[in-house]
Amino acid sequence: KPAGGMELSFTEGDRAALLATYEEWRALPGLKVVQEPTDMDFGFTFVMEDGDGHRLRPFVRAENPR
């Protein structure tokens, strides 16, 4: 497997937009679900991994992130 290891994070507008992105990406070949949509201290997020091992993390920031 090629070397990877970078994580790219970016914001989504709201939970519905994040879930729509998740469903779109889940259907794409070459992306693997690493983390299902979930609430975390910093916000609502999921993680996908591309074929090179890079992680993609869209998130919706929590109102009061810890």
Side-chain angles (χ1 to χ4, degrees):
K1 182 174 180 175
M6 181 184 98
E7 182 170 295
L8 177 63
S9 299
F10 53 94
T11 59
E12 285 277 4
D14 57 31
R15 290 173 78 99
L18 185 125
L19 290 171
T21 298
Y22 174 76
E23 291 302 326
E24 288 176 27
W25 288 10
R26 200 168 68 140
L28 294 174
L31 289 181
K32 178 177 88 175
V33 176
V34 175
Q35 182 181 50
E36 298 283 335
T38 189
D39 284 301
M40 300 189 74
D41 290 345
F42 61 87
F44 187 58
T45 188
F46 70 86
V47 178
M48 295 277 190
E49 186 177 83
D50 71 11
D52 291 327
H54 302 297
R55 292 174 158 226
L56 306 171
R57 179 186 294 276
F59 69 96
V60 177
R61 185 177 173 174
E63 284 187 34
N64 297 307
R66 294 182 225 153

